Amino acid sequence: MVCLCCLEMNVGAVCVIAGCAGLLSFVFLAVAIGTDYWYVIDVSKSKYNTEKESDDLSSHSGLWRICQGKGGQCVWSLMKLFFTGSSNLVLLVFGGICGLVSSLANDLCMLLFTGSYFLVGGTLTLTGITVYIAYSKAAFAEVMCLYDHRMFDDIDTSFSWSMGLAWLSFTLEIISGALLLLAAKLNAVRHSIQSVVI
């Protein structure tokens, strides 16, 4: 009996931790998708520009917009045409609802489904991040081909904090999925012990 109580508490604790990880994943992805600091181009150290030009030519971009200069004048980017970042949020909300229902119902099949669903969602988030990285590198390489390579010697390019939040979201999705699968395994063990006791 003590073993059954421990398993029930463990399943509950694992589901709560998985739920918290899933919720944080949603928040991080929502912030990452809504902000414009995925990729930063800093031309302040370039010897080809004056200080005023450097401020005007530096830029930062997100999934939807490219913002240029200190004033932050933003234009819509081409990524808007084929990146489906917001659909990942819908998938995360649906996964969260499934996770809540499966943990409350304590159903093995639902826990397995939801855990697998979060793992697939994490894979989709990783795919979106990879597409963005490839797109950004290809776009910068294209610009370098159009102009003199020496102009880009002192230009710093980097992925910024919005990208970091997307990576955190991906990691938490995978953790949440793995924990839900662990909860399913613990639940299966609990049911097998119950059947032996009965």
Side-chain angles (χ1 to χ4, degrees), residues 65-82:
R65 302 181 309 169
I66 299 171
C67 302
Q68 192 165 356
K70 276 194 172 177
Q73 181 180 0
C74 299
V75 295
W76 294 105
S77 72
L78 291 176
M79 285 300 286
K80 183 177 187 257
L81 300 177
F82 64 90

Side-chain angles (χ1 to χ4, degrees), residues 19-168:
C20 290
L23 182 63
L24 279 175
S25 175
F26 171 78
V27 169
F28 289 154
L29 191 60
V31 172
I33 287 171
T35 55
D36 298 318
Y37 287 89
W38 283 66
Y39 192 67
V40 175
I41 299 174
D42 181 14
V43 298
S44 62
K45 297 176 187 160
S46 176
K47 59 187 171 198
Y48 293 98
N49 301 317
T50 66
E51 188 175 328
K52 171 74 172 106
E53 287 174 328
S54 295
D55 288 342
D56 290 341
L57 294 175
S58 292
S59 68
H60 56 90
S61 61
L63 300 178
W64 319 112
R65 302 181 309 169
I66 299 171
C67 302
Q68 192 165 356
K70 276 194 172 177
Q73 181 180 0
C74 299
V75 295
W76 294 105
S77 72
L78 291 176
M79 285 300 286
K80 183 177 187 257
L81 300 177
F82 64 90
F83 191 89
T84 56
S86 57
S87 65
N88 275 0
L89 291 178
V90 174
L91 294 175
L92 269 174
V93 170
F94 179 72
I97 292 168
C98 288
L100 180 63
V101 170
S102 62
S103 60
L104 290 175
N106 219 356
D107 183 53
L108 176 64
C109 293
M110 281 291 289
L111 285 169
L112 284 172
F113 168 76
T114 309
S116 301
Y117 184 88
F118 268 93
L119 292 177
V120 169
T123 304
L124 290 174
T125 301
L126 178 62
T127 302
I129 293 169
T130 305
V131 166
Y132 186 84
I133 290 171
Y135 171 81
S136 299
K137 288 186 176 185
F140 192 72
E142 183 68 26
V143 170
M144 286 180 69
C145 287
L146 294 173
Y147 299 99
D148 184 7
H149 283 267
R150 289 174 297 170
M151 291 178 65
F152 299 95
D153 289 343
D154 300 322
I155 294 177
D156 292 327
T157 60
S158 62
F159 294 101
S160 193
W161 60 268
S162 296
M163 173 72 78
L165 288 178
W167 279 108
L168 276 172

